Short mmCIF file of all heavy atoms in Angstrom, two decimals:
data_model
loop_
_atom_site.label_atom_id
_atom_site.label_comp_id
_atom_site.label_asym_id
_atom_site.label_seq_id
_atom_site.Cartn_x
_atom_site.Cartn_y
_atom_site.Cartn_z
N MET M 1 61.24 28.03 30.05
CA MET M 1 62.27 29.01 30.32
C MET M 1 63.19 28.46 31.41
O MET M 1 62.73 27.96 32.42
CB MET M 1 61.64 30.32 30.78
CG MET M 1 62.65 31.36 31.14
SD MET M 1 61.96 33.01 31.36
CE MET M 1 61.40 32.94 33.02
N ARG M 2 64.47 28.58 31.21
CA ARG M 2 65.44 28.11 32.20
C ARG M 2 66.01 29.31 32.94
O ARG M 2 66.33 30.33 32.35
CB ARG M 2 66.54 27.35 31.51
CG ARG M 2 66.03 26.07 30.86
CD ARG M 2 67.16 25.20 30.43
NE ARG M 2 67.91 24.71 31.57
CZ ARG M 2 67.77 23.52 32.12
NH1 ARG M 2 66.89 22.69 31.61
NH2 ARG M 2 68.50 23.14 33.15
N ILE M 3 66.13 29.16 34.24
CA ILE M 3 66.67 30.22 35.09
C ILE M 3 67.90 29.68 35.80
O ILE M 3 67.85 28.57 36.35
CB ILE M 3 65.62 30.69 36.11
CG1 ILE M 3 64.39 31.22 35.40
CG2 ILE M 3 66.21 31.76 37.03
CD1 ILE M 3 63.25 31.56 36.32
N GLU M 4 68.96 30.45 35.81
CA GLU M 4 70.17 30.03 36.50
C GLU M 4 69.93 30.00 38.01
O GLU M 4 69.19 30.82 38.56
CB GLU M 4 71.32 30.98 36.19
CG GLU M 4 71.76 30.95 34.75
CD GLU M 4 72.90 31.89 34.49
OE1 GLU M 4 73.61 32.27 35.44
OE2 GLU M 4 73.08 32.25 33.31
N LYS M 5 70.56 29.04 38.66
CA LYS M 5 70.35 28.84 40.10
C LYS M 5 70.69 30.09 40.90
O LYS M 5 69.95 30.48 41.81
CB LYS M 5 71.21 27.66 40.56
CG LYS M 5 70.99 27.28 41.99
CD LYS M 5 71.81 26.06 42.35
CE LYS M 5 71.59 25.65 43.78
NZ LYS M 5 72.38 24.47 44.13
N GLN M 6 71.79 30.75 40.60
CA GLN M 6 72.21 31.95 41.34
C GLN M 6 71.20 33.08 41.17
O GLN M 6 70.88 33.79 42.10
CB GLN M 6 73.61 32.40 40.91
CG GLN M 6 74.13 33.58 41.71
CD GLN M 6 74.28 33.27 43.19
OE1 GLN M 6 74.72 32.19 43.56
NE2 GLN M 6 73.91 34.18 44.04
N MET M 7 70.68 33.24 39.95
CA MET M 7 69.69 34.30 39.70
C MET M 7 68.41 34.04 40.49
O MET M 7 67.83 34.95 41.09
CB MET M 7 69.37 34.40 38.21
CG MET M 7 68.40 35.51 37.88
SD MET M 7 67.97 35.59 36.13
CE MET M 7 69.51 36.14 35.45
N LEU M 8 67.97 32.78 40.52
CA LEU M 8 66.78 32.42 41.27
C LEU M 8 67.01 32.64 42.77
O LEU M 8 66.15 33.18 43.46
CB LEU M 8 66.42 30.96 41.01
CG LEU M 8 65.20 30.42 41.75
CD1 LEU M 8 63.96 31.22 41.40
CD2 LEU M 8 65.01 28.95 41.43
N ASN M 9 68.17 32.27 43.25
CA ASN M 9 68.51 32.45 44.66
C ASN M 9 68.46 33.93 45.04
O ASN M 9 67.87 34.30 46.07
CB ASN M 9 69.89 31.87 44.94
CG ASN M 9 70.24 31.88 46.40
OD1 ASN M 9 69.36 31.79 47.25
ND2 ASN M 9 71.52 31.97 46.71
N ASP M 10 69.05 34.78 44.23
CA ASP M 10 69.04 36.22 44.50
C ASP M 10 67.61 36.79 44.47
O ASP M 10 67.24 37.60 45.32
CB ASP M 10 69.91 36.97 43.49
CG ASP M 10 71.38 36.65 43.63
OD1 ASP M 10 71.78 36.10 44.69
OD2 ASP M 10 72.14 36.94 42.69
N ALA M 11 66.83 36.36 43.50
CA ALA M 11 65.45 36.85 43.39
C ALA M 11 64.61 36.43 44.59
O ALA M 11 63.84 37.23 45.14
CB ALA M 11 64.81 36.33 42.10
N LEU M 12 64.77 35.18 45.04
CA LEU M 12 64.00 34.70 46.18
C LEU M 12 64.43 35.40 47.47
O LEU M 12 63.59 35.70 48.32
CB LEU M 12 64.14 33.20 46.32
CG LEU M 12 63.54 32.38 45.19
CD1 LEU M 12 63.80 30.90 45.41
CD2 LEU M 12 62.06 32.65 45.04
N ARG M 13 65.70 35.65 47.62
CA ARG M 13 66.18 36.37 48.80
C ARG M 13 65.59 37.78 48.83
O ARG M 13 65.12 38.26 49.87
CB ARG M 13 67.71 36.44 48.79
CG ARG M 13 68.25 37.07 50.06
CD ARG M 13 69.77 37.11 50.08
NE ARG M 13 70.33 35.77 49.96
CZ ARG M 13 71.23 35.42 49.05
NH1 ARG M 13 71.66 36.30 48.18
NH2 ARG M 13 71.69 34.19 49.00
N THR M 14 65.59 38.46 47.71
CA THR M 14 65.03 39.81 47.62
C THR M 14 63.53 39.81 47.90
O THR M 14 63.02 40.65 48.64
CB THR M 14 65.31 40.41 46.24
OG1 THR M 14 66.73 40.42 46.03
CG2 THR M 14 64.78 41.83 46.14
N LEU M 15 62.82 38.85 47.34
CA LEU M 15 61.38 38.74 47.57
C LEU M 15 61.08 38.49 49.04
O LEU M 15 60.18 39.11 49.61
CB LEU M 15 60.80 37.61 46.72
CG LEU M 15 59.31 37.33 46.89
CD1 LEU M 15 58.48 38.55 46.52
CD2 LEU M 15 58.91 36.12 46.07
N GLY M 16 61.85 37.62 49.66
CA GLY M 16 61.66 37.34 51.08
C GLY M 16 61.86 38.57 51.95
O GLY M 16 61.10 38.82 52.87
N LYS M 17 62.87 39.36 51.64
CA LYS M 17 63.12 40.59 52.40
C LYS M 17 61.97 41.58 52.22
O LYS M 17 61.54 42.22 53.18
CB LYS M 17 64.43 41.23 51.95
CG LYS M 17 65.65 40.50 52.43
CD LYS M 17 66.91 41.19 51.93
CE LYS M 17 68.15 40.42 52.34
NZ LYS M 17 69.38 41.05 51.82
N ALA M 18 61.48 41.70 51.00
CA ALA M 18 60.39 42.64 50.73
C ALA M 18 59.13 42.23 51.48
O ALA M 18 58.44 43.07 52.08
CB ALA M 18 60.11 42.72 49.23
N VAL M 19 58.79 40.96 51.47
CA VAL M 19 57.59 40.47 52.17
C VAL M 19 57.75 40.69 53.67
O VAL M 19 56.83 41.16 54.33
CB VAL M 19 57.35 38.98 51.85
CG1 VAL M 19 56.29 38.40 52.78
CG2 VAL M 19 56.94 38.81 50.41
N TYR M 20 58.91 40.35 54.20
CA TYR M 20 59.14 40.48 55.64
C TYR M 20 59.02 41.94 56.10
O TYR M 20 58.43 42.24 57.13
CB TYR M 20 60.51 39.93 56.00
CG TYR M 20 60.78 39.95 57.49
CD1 TYR M 20 60.27 38.97 58.32
CD2 TYR M 20 61.51 40.98 58.07
CE1 TYR M 20 60.49 38.99 59.68
CE2 TYR M 20 61.74 41.01 59.43
CZ TYR M 20 61.23 40.02 60.23
OH TYR M 20 61.45 40.06 61.58
N GLN M 21 59.56 42.86 55.32
CA GLN M 21 59.59 44.27 55.73
C GLN M 21 58.27 44.97 55.53
O GLN M 21 57.99 45.95 56.20
CB GLN M 21 60.69 45.01 54.95
CG GLN M 21 62.08 44.56 55.35
CD GLN M 21 63.16 45.19 54.49
OE1 GLN M 21 62.88 45.91 53.54
NE2 GLN M 21 64.39 44.92 54.83
N THR M 22 57.44 44.50 54.59
CA THR M 22 56.20 45.22 54.29
C THR M 22 54.96 44.66 54.97
O THR M 22 53.93 45.31 54.98
CB THR M 22 55.95 45.26 52.77
OG1 THR M 22 55.87 43.92 52.28
CG2 THR M 22 57.05 46.00 52.05
N SER M 23 55.05 43.47 55.54
CA SER M 23 53.87 42.86 56.16
C SER M 23 53.76 43.27 57.63
O SER M 23 54.68 43.04 58.41
CB SER M 23 53.94 41.34 56.07
OG SER M 23 52.82 40.78 56.71
N PRO M 24 52.63 43.86 58.02
CA PRO M 24 52.45 44.24 59.41
C PRO M 24 52.09 43.05 60.32
O PRO M 24 52.20 43.14 61.52
CB PRO M 24 51.30 45.24 59.37
CG PRO M 24 50.50 44.81 58.18
CD PRO M 24 51.50 44.27 57.19
N VAL M 25 51.68 41.95 59.73
CA VAL M 25 51.25 40.78 60.48
C VAL M 25 52.35 39.72 60.41
O VAL M 25 52.76 39.30 59.34
CB VAL M 25 49.94 40.20 59.91
CG1 VAL M 25 49.49 38.97 60.69
CG2 VAL M 25 48.85 41.26 59.89
N GLU M 26 52.83 39.29 61.58
CA GLU M 26 53.95 38.34 61.61
C GLU M 26 53.63 37.05 60.85
O GLU M 26 54.50 36.47 60.20
CB GLU M 26 54.32 38.00 63.04
CG GLU M 26 55.57 37.17 63.15
CD GLU M 26 56.04 37.00 64.58
OE1 GLU M 26 55.63 37.78 65.45
OE2 GLU M 26 56.81 36.06 64.81
N LEU M 27 52.39 36.59 60.92
CA LEU M 27 51.98 35.37 60.24
C LEU M 27 52.21 35.44 58.73
O LEU M 27 52.52 34.45 58.09
CB LEU M 27 50.51 35.08 60.53
CG LEU M 27 49.89 33.85 59.87
CD1 LEU M 27 50.59 32.58 60.37
CD2 LEU M 27 48.40 33.78 60.16
N TYR M 28 52.08 36.64 58.14
CA TYR M 28 52.21 36.80 56.70
C TYR M 28 53.63 37.16 56.26
O TYR M 28 53.85 37.54 55.13
CB TYR M 28 51.24 37.86 56.19
CG TYR M 28 49.80 37.54 56.49
CD1 TYR M 28 48.95 38.50 57.01
CD2 TYR M 28 49.29 36.27 56.26
CE1 TYR M 28 47.62 38.20 57.28
CE2 TYR M 28 47.97 35.96 56.53
CZ TYR M 28 47.15 36.94 57.04
OH TYR M 28 45.84 36.64 57.31
N ARG M 29 54.60 37.05 57.14
CA ARG M 29 55.98 37.39 56.80
C ARG M 29 56.72 36.21 56.22
O ARG M 29 57.87 35.94 56.56
CB ARG M 29 56.71 37.91 58.03
CG ARG M 29 56.20 39.26 58.47
CD ARG M 29 57.00 39.76 59.64
NE ARG M 29 56.51 41.05 60.08
CZ ARG M 29 56.94 41.69 61.13
NH1 ARG M 29 57.90 41.16 61.86
NH2 ARG M 29 56.44 42.85 61.46
N SER M 30 56.09 35.49 55.35
CA SER M 30 56.72 34.35 54.70
C SER M 30 56.12 34.18 53.30
O SER M 30 55.07 34.73 52.99
CB SER M 30 56.53 33.08 55.51
OG SER M 30 55.16 32.76 55.60
N VAL M 31 56.81 33.43 52.49
CA VAL M 31 56.36 33.14 51.14
C VAL M 31 56.37 31.63 50.97
O VAL M 31 57.33 30.96 51.35
CB VAL M 31 57.30 33.78 50.09
CG1 VAL M 31 56.84 33.45 48.68
CG2 VAL M 31 57.38 35.28 50.29
N ARG M 32 55.30 31.08 50.41
CA ARG M 32 55.22 29.64 50.21
C ARG M 32 55.32 29.34 48.72
O ARG M 32 54.64 29.94 47.91
CB ARG M 32 53.90 29.11 50.74
CG ARG M 32 53.77 27.63 50.55
CD ARG M 32 52.49 27.12 51.13
NE ARG M 32 52.38 25.69 50.87
CZ ARG M 32 51.38 24.97 51.24
NH1 ARG M 32 50.39 25.51 51.91
NH2 ARG M 32 51.35 23.69 50.95
N PHE M 33 56.18 28.38 48.38
CA PHE M 33 56.37 27.97 47.00
C PHE M 33 55.89 26.54 46.85
O PHE M 33 56.19 25.69 47.68
CB PHE M 33 57.84 28.06 46.60
CG PHE M 33 58.36 29.46 46.57
CD1 PHE M 33 58.95 30.01 47.70
CD2 PHE M 33 58.25 30.22 45.44
CE1 PHE M 33 59.42 31.30 47.70
CE2 PHE M 33 58.72 31.52 45.42
CZ PHE M 33 59.31 32.06 46.55
N VAL M 34 55.15 26.28 45.79
CA VAL M 34 54.67 24.95 45.48
C VAL M 34 55.25 24.56 44.13
O VAL M 34 55.05 25.26 43.14
CB VAL M 34 53.12 24.90 45.43
CG1 VAL M 34 52.64 23.51 45.07
CG2 VAL M 34 52.54 25.37 46.75
N GLY M 35 56.00 23.47 44.12
CA GLY M 35 56.63 23.03 42.88
C GLY M 35 55.96 21.81 42.29
O GLY M 35 55.60 20.88 43.01
N GLU M 36 55.75 21.85 41.00
CA GLU M 36 55.21 20.73 40.24
C GLU M 36 56.11 20.58 39.01
O GLU M 36 56.81 21.53 38.66
CB GLU M 36 53.77 21.01 39.83
CG GLU M 36 52.81 21.18 40.97
CD GLU M 36 51.43 21.61 40.54
OE1 GLU M 36 51.21 21.84 39.33
OE2 GLU M 36 50.56 21.73 41.41
N PRO M 37 56.09 19.47 38.36
CA PRO M 37 56.93 19.32 37.18
C PRO M 37 56.66 20.44 36.15
O PRO M 37 55.53 20.63 35.70
CB PRO M 37 56.52 17.96 36.60
CG PRO M 37 56.03 17.20 37.80
CD PRO M 37 55.38 18.24 38.67
N GLY M 38 57.68 21.23 35.89
CA GLY M 38 57.57 22.31 34.92
C GLY M 38 56.86 23.56 35.42
O GLY M 38 56.55 24.44 34.64
N CYS M 39 56.58 23.63 36.73
CA CYS M 39 55.81 24.77 37.25
C CYS M 39 56.17 25.04 38.70
O CYS M 39 56.34 24.12 39.50
CB CYS M 39 54.33 24.46 37.15
SG CYS M 39 53.25 25.76 37.77
N VAL M 40 56.28 26.32 39.05
CA VAL M 40 56.46 26.75 40.44
C VAL M 40 55.44 27.83 40.72
O VAL M 40 55.34 28.79 39.97
CB VAL M 40 57.89 27.29 40.70
CG1 VAL M 40 58.00 27.82 42.12
CG2 VAL M 40 58.93 26.23 40.45
N ARG M 41 54.66 27.65 41.76
CA ARG M 41 53.66 28.65 42.14
C ARG M 41 54.03 29.26 43.48
O ARG M 41 54.57 28.61 44.34
CB ARG M 41 52.27 28.01 42.24
CG ARG M 41 51.73 27.55 40.89
CD ARG M 41 50.35 26.98 41.01
NE ARG M 41 50.48 25.64 41.64
CZ ARG M 41 49.53 25.10 42.38
NH1 ARG M 41 48.42 25.72 42.62
NH2 ARG M 41 49.70 23.90 42.90
N VAL M 42 53.71 30.54 43.62
CA VAL M 42 53.97 31.27 44.86
C VAL M 42 52.64 31.54 45.52
O VAL M 42 51.70 32.00 44.89
CB VAL M 42 54.70 32.60 44.58
CG1 VAL M 42 54.94 33.36 45.87
CG2 VAL M 42 55.99 32.35 43.84
N GLY M 43 52.57 31.25 46.81
CA GLY M 43 51.30 31.46 47.51
C GLY M 43 51.50 32.14 48.82
O GLY M 43 52.53 32.35 49.33
#
């Protein structure tokens, strides 16, 4: 599946805001992405 760069950018920005606002622990106010050929994982 191909995703347009702008759509991905908007989705990641929204996800980052949601994580930051809902996490009570400062350490968990981030999202980590791991990229491999043909795959992106969120951790």
Side-chain angles (χ1 to χ4, degrees):
M1 177 168 84
R2 295 192 66 99
I3 300 173
E4 294 180 21
K5 185 177 181 180
Q6 184 62 40
M7 183 182 290
L8 179 60
N9 187 29
D10 293 344
L12 294 177
R13 185 178 301 126
T14 302
L15 178 61
K17 287 180 183 178
V19 169
Y20 184 81
Q21 292 174 356
T22 59
S23 178
V25 180
E26 188 173 341
L27 178 63
Y28 301 134
R29 291 183 181 175
S30 62
V31 179
R32 180 177 177 181
F33 294 92
V34 178
E36 298 173 357
C39 179
V40 176
R41 292 183 286 152
V42 179

